[in-house]
Amino acid sequence: MADLAELVASRIIEVPDFPKPGIIFKDLTPLFADGPAFRQVIDGIVAHYGPGSFDTVAGIEARGFVIAAAIAYATGVGVVPVRKGGKLPRETHRASYELEYGEAALEVHIDAFLPGQRVLVVDDVLATGGTAAATLDLVERAGGTVVGFTVLLELSFLPGRERIAPREVHALLAA
Protein backbone atom coordinates (compact mmCIF):
# COMPACT_ATOMS: atom_id res chain seq x y z
CA MET A 1 0.00 0.00 0.00
CA ALA A 2 2.90 2.37 0.69
CA ASP A 3 3.99 2.00 -2.93
CA LEU A 4 0.52 3.03 -4.13
CA ALA A 5 0.50 6.00 -1.76
CA GLU A 6 3.85 7.13 -3.13
CA LEU A 7 2.62 6.61 -6.68
CA VAL A 8 -0.49 8.73 -6.10
CA ALA A 9 1.53 11.42 -4.29
CA SER A 10 4.00 11.62 -7.15
CA ARG A 11 1.25 12.32 -9.69
CA ILE A 12 -0.61 15.12 -7.83
CA ILE A 13 -0.32 18.71 -8.97
CA GLU A 14 -1.43 21.28 -6.40
CA VAL A 15 -3.35 24.21 -7.89
CA PRO A 16 -3.66 27.18 -5.51
CA ASP A 17 -6.83 29.28 -5.32
CA PHE A 18 -8.99 26.88 -7.32
CA PRO A 19 -11.98 26.89 -7.51
CA LYS A 20 -11.82 29.91 -5.19
CA PRO A 21 -9.19 31.79 -3.17
CA GLY A 22 -7.81 29.84 -0.23
CA ILE A 23 -8.50 26.38 -1.70
CA ILE A 24 -5.58 24.24 -2.85
CA PHE A 25 -7.01 21.90 -5.49
CA LYS A 26 -5.38 18.47 -5.74
CA ASP A 27 -5.29 17.68 -9.46
CA LEU A 28 -5.11 13.95 -10.12
CA THR A 29 -5.40 14.13 -13.91
CA PRO A 30 -1.65 13.44 -14.32
CA LEU A 31 -2.27 10.07 -12.63
CA PHE A 32 -5.14 9.30 -15.02
CA ALA A 33 -2.94 10.23 -17.99
CA ASP A 34 -0.15 7.84 -16.96
CA GLY A 35 -1.38 4.45 -18.20
CA PRO A 36 0.93 2.19 -16.18
CA ALA A 37 0.44 4.21 -12.98
CA PHE A 38 -3.33 4.32 -13.43
CA ARG A 39 -3.40 0.55 -13.99
CA GLN A 40 -1.43 0.00 -10.75
CA VAL A 41 -3.91 2.15 -8.82
CA ILE A 42 -6.94 0.34 -10.23
CA ASP A 43 -5.35 -3.07 -9.65
CA GLY A 44 -4.57 -2.02 -6.06
CA ILE A 45 -8.18 -1.06 -5.38
CA VAL A 46 -9.48 -4.29 -6.91
CA ALA A 47 -6.97 -6.32 -4.85
CA HIS A 48 -8.02 -4.51 -1.66
CA TYR A 49 -11.69 -5.47 -2.03
CA GLY A 50 -11.22 -8.68 -3.99
CA PRO A 51 -13.00 -9.61 -7.19
CA GLY A 52 -16.52 -10.81 -6.50
CA SER A 53 -16.98 -8.65 -3.39
CA PHE A 54 -19.21 -6.13 -5.17
CA ASP A 55 -21.81 -6.31 -7.94
CA THR A 56 -21.48 -2.81 -9.35
CA VAL A 57 -19.41 0.33 -8.92
CA ALA A 58 -20.86 3.80 -8.30
CA GLY A 59 -18.69 6.69 -9.44
CA ILE A 60 -19.16 10.24 -8.19
CA GLU A 61 -19.11 13.03 -10.77
CA ALA A 62 -16.80 13.72 -12.39
CA ARG A 63 -13.38 12.24 -11.66
CA GLY A 64 -15.00 9.35 -9.81
CA PHE A 65 -16.45 8.28 -13.18
CA VAL A 66 -12.95 7.63 -14.50
CA ILE A 67 -11.99 5.47 -11.54
CA ALA A 68 -15.34 3.66 -11.34
CA ALA A 69 -15.35 2.75 -15.03
CA ALA A 70 -11.84 1.31 -14.80
CA ILE A 71 -12.69 -0.76 -11.71
CA ALA A 72 -15.92 -1.98 -13.29
CA TYR A 73 -14.09 -3.00 -16.46
CA ALA A 74 -11.32 -4.74 -14.50
CA THR A 75 -13.85 -6.80 -12.52
CA GLY A 76 -16.51 -7.34 -15.18
CA VAL A 77 -19.29 -5.52 -13.32
CA GLY A 78 -21.44 -2.53 -14.22
CA VAL A 79 -20.92 1.11 -13.37
CA VAL A 80 -23.49 3.63 -12.13
CA PRO A 81 -22.91 7.39 -12.39
CA VAL A 82 -23.83 9.57 -9.43
CA ARG A 83 -24.40 12.89 -11.17
CA LYS A 84 -24.73 16.53 -10.29
CA GLY A 85 -28.35 17.65 -9.97
CA GLY A 86 -30.34 18.00 -13.18
CA LYS A 87 -28.06 15.86 -15.36
CA LEU A 88 -29.94 12.54 -15.37
CA PRO A 89 -32.88 12.12 -17.77
CA ARG A 90 -35.22 9.92 -15.70
CA GLU A 91 -36.69 9.97 -12.19
CA THR A 92 -34.01 10.30 -9.53
CA HIS A 93 -33.24 10.31 -5.85
CA ARG A 94 -31.62 13.62 -4.87
CA ALA A 95 -29.36 14.61 -1.98
CA SER A 96 -28.17 18.15 -1.25
CA TYR A 97 -24.97 18.78 0.68
CA GLU A 98 -22.35 21.39 1.50
CA LEU A 99 -18.90 21.43 -0.05
CA GLU A 100 -15.82 23.00 1.46
CA TYR A 101 -16.42 25.84 -1.02
CA GLY A 102 -20.21 25.95 -1.57
CA GLU A 103 -23.38 23.89 -1.94
CA ALA A 104 -24.37 21.20 -4.41
CA ALA A 105 -26.77 18.34 -5.08
CA LEU A 106 -26.24 14.83 -6.41
CA GLU A 107 -28.69 12.47 -8.05
CA VAL A 108 -28.95 8.83 -9.04
CA HIS A 109 -31.72 7.12 -11.02
CA ILE A 110 -34.29 5.55 -8.72
CA ASP A 111 -33.78 2.20 -10.45
CA ALA A 112 -29.96 2.38 -10.53
CA PHE A 113 -29.51 -0.62 -8.22
CA LEU A 114 -31.29 -3.89 -7.68
CA PRO A 115 -32.51 -4.40 -4.10
CA GLY A 116 -29.55 -5.48 -1.98
CA GLN A 117 -27.05 -5.12 -4.84
CA ARG A 118 -23.52 -4.79 -3.42
CA VAL A 119 -22.07 -1.42 -4.41
CA LEU A 120 -18.50 -0.17 -4.25
CA VAL A 121 -18.57 3.65 -4.17
CA VAL A 122 -15.52 5.47 -5.54
CA ASP A 123 -14.30 9.04 -5.84
CA ASP A 124 -10.98 10.76 -6.34
CA VAL A 125 -10.71 12.81 -3.12
CA LEU A 126 -12.34 12.70 0.32
CA ALA A 127 -12.36 16.19 1.84
CA THR A 128 -15.19 17.37 4.11
CA GLY A 129 -17.27 14.27 3.43
CA GLY A 130 -20.35 16.05 2.08
CA THR A 131 -20.17 14.47 -1.34
CA ALA A 132 -19.40 11.05 0.12
CA ALA A 133 -22.21 11.16 2.70
CA ALA A 134 -24.73 12.29 0.07
CA THR A 135 -23.66 9.52 -2.30
CA LEU A 136 -23.77 6.77 0.31
CA ASP A 137 -27.28 7.93 1.23
CA LEU A 138 -28.36 7.95 -2.42
CA VAL A 139 -27.05 4.43 -3.04
CA GLU A 140 -29.00 3.10 -0.06
CA ARG A 141 -32.18 5.01 -0.94
CA ALA A 142 -31.97 3.53 -4.44
CA GLY A 143 -31.81 -0.01 -2.96
CA GLY A 144 -28.09 -0.71 -3.04
CA THR A 145 -25.96 -2.02 -0.19
CA VAL A 146 -22.70 -0.13 0.22
CA VAL A 147 -19.84 -2.60 0.66
CA GLY A 148 -17.01 -0.11 0.39
CA PHE A 149 -15.98 3.47 -0.13
CA THR A 150 -12.63 4.13 -1.74
CA VAL A 151 -10.72 7.24 -2.77
CA LEU A 152 -7.32 7.92 -4.22
CA LEU A 153 -6.61 10.77 -1.80
CA GLU A 154 -7.98 11.59 1.64
CA LEU A 155 -7.38 15.09 2.96
CA SER A 156 -7.00 13.90 6.54
CA PHE A 157 -6.91 17.43 8.00
CA LEU A 158 -10.59 17.77 7.01
CA PRO A 159 -13.46 15.89 8.73
CA GLY A 160 -14.51 13.64 5.82
CA ARG A 161 -13.83 10.35 7.55
CA GLU A 162 -15.73 11.41 10.67
CA ARG A 163 -18.69 12.59 8.61
CA ILE A 164 -19.26 9.19 7.06
CA ALA A 165 -18.38 7.14 10.18
CA PRO A 166 -18.84 4.37 11.11
CA ARG A 167 -18.24 3.43 7.48
CA GLU A 168 -14.66 2.57 6.59
CA VAL A 169 -12.71 4.65 4.14
CA HIS A 170 -10.15 3.02 1.89
CA ALA A 171 -7.75 5.75 0.81
CA LEU A 172 -4.63 5.03 -1.22
CA LEU A 173 -3.03 8.21 0.14
CA ALA A 174 -3.89 10.25 3.25
CA ALA A 175 -2.32 13.69 3.28
Side-chain angles (χ1 to χ4, degrees):
M1 187 67 151
D3 291 340
L4 287 178
E6 291 171 16
L7 180 62
V8 172
S10 73
R11 301 305 192 281
I12 294 172
I13 295 175
E14 292 188 348
V15 182
D17 299 321
F18 184 84
K20 72 177 202 175
I23 302 291
I24 299 175
F25 185 83
K26 307 288 188 178
D27 183 8
L28 289 164
T29 58
L31 174 65
F32 301 150
D34 181 336
F38 186 54
R39 179 182 292 239
Q40 279 186 266
V41 164
I42 297 305
D43 289 348
I45 293 168
V46 171
H48 176 80
Y49 288 100
S53 65
F54 49 90
D55 304 313
T56 193
V57 184
I60 303 171
E61 188 161 337
R63 291 168 301 276
F65 294 168
V66 175
I67 303 159
I71 293 169
Y73 178 80
T75 57
V77 302
V79 63
V80 173
V82 177
R83 302 278 329 252
K84 292 177 181 172
K87 300 289 184 180
L88 292 172
R90 297 182 287 111
E91 188 177 356
T92 63
H93 291 291
R94 181 180 183 90
S96 296
Y97 62 99
E98 291 185 20
L99 295 164
E100 59 272 24
Y101 49 83
E103 268 186 36
L106 292 172
E107 294 179 341
V108 70
H109 283 127
I110 61 168
D111 62 352
F113 308 104
L114 299 172
Q117 192 171 29
R118 299 171 303 158
V119 182
L120 174 62
V121 178
V122 300
D123 204 2
D124 62 334
V125 176
L126 175 62
T128 64
T131 303
T135 299
L136 298 172
D137 176 61
L138 284 173
V139 168
E140 290 173 343
R141 282 198 283 151
T145 300
V146 176
V147 296
F149 176 70
T150 193
V151 294
L152 303 183
L153 172 63
E154 176 185 2
L155 302 178
S156 54
F157 59 91
L158 292 171
R161 186 176 289 262
E162 291 79 25
R163 187 157 183 192
I164 64 171
R167 296 179 190 278
E168 287 188 28
V169 175
H170 172 244
L172 296 182
L173 172 64

